[in-house]
């Protein structure tokens, strides 16, 4: 049996409340300032940008065997397979230049 896509009464109330709250209406004054120590141990969430420009997101179709090899090789090197692809292409680019 498929779950119903209709919202429950509680779900409708929550959705209505979310729509009514605008960013400008939220009072952040009761949130304490972060200390220098707290700020120093924070880290950026998400992929770090490498180099002077952030990386571009692309879609790429690969043969299944090639993708499997990339994932296995990347795992052995403790990398993400996307980073391995970038490393391979960057090395080839330097060799051609």
């Amino acid at each position: 049996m498929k779950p119903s896509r209709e919202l429950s009464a509680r779900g409708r109330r929550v959705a209505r409340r979310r729509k009514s709250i605008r960013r400008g209406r939220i009072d952040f004054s009761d949130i304490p300032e972060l200390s220098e120590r707290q700020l120093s141990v924070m880290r950026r969430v998400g992929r770090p940008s490498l180099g002077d420009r952030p990386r571009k997101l692309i879609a790429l179709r690969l043969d299944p065997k090639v993708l499997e090899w990339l994932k296995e090789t990347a795992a052995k090197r403790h990398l993400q397979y996307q980073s391995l692809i970038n490393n391979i292409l960057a090395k080839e680019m330097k060799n051609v230049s």
Side-chain angles (χ1 to χ4, degrees), residues 44 47-55 83 86-87:
R44 183 179 183 276
R47 298 257 182 225
S49 56
L50 300 175
D52 55 346
R53 297 188 309 183
R55 292 182 175 185
S83 295
N86 189 73
N87 294 348

Side-chain angles (χ1 to χ4, degrees), residues 7-14 16:
L7 292 175
S8 65
R10 181 175 180 271
R12 283 191 298 273
R13 282 194 307 273
V14 169
R16 216 176 307 123

Side-chain angles (χ1 to χ4, degrees), residues 23-84:
R23 189 161 185 78
R25 291 179 161 177
I26 300 173
D27 180 16
F28 295 105
S29 64
D30 60 337
I31 300 173
E33 294 277 331
L34 293 175
S35 69
E36 289 297 322
R37 184 181 181 290
Q38 288 172 314
L39 290 171
S40 69
V41 296
M42 290 181 127
R43 64 180 181 85
R44 183 179 183 276
V45 177
R47 298 257 182 225
S49 56
L50 300 175
D52 55 346
R53 297 188 309 183
R55 292 182 175 185
K56 298 272 187 188
L57 176 65
I58 64 164
L60 180 67
R61 295 184 189 275
L62 300 171
D63 291 333
K65 288 182 181 180
V66 172
L67 183 58
E68 184 180 329
W69 176 84
L70 283 165
K71 287 182 176 183
E72 288 171 2
T73 305
K76 289 176 188 173
R77 297 180 187 183
H78 306 288
L79 292 171
Q80 296 292 320
Y81 74 93
Q82 298 94 330
S83 295
L84 178 61

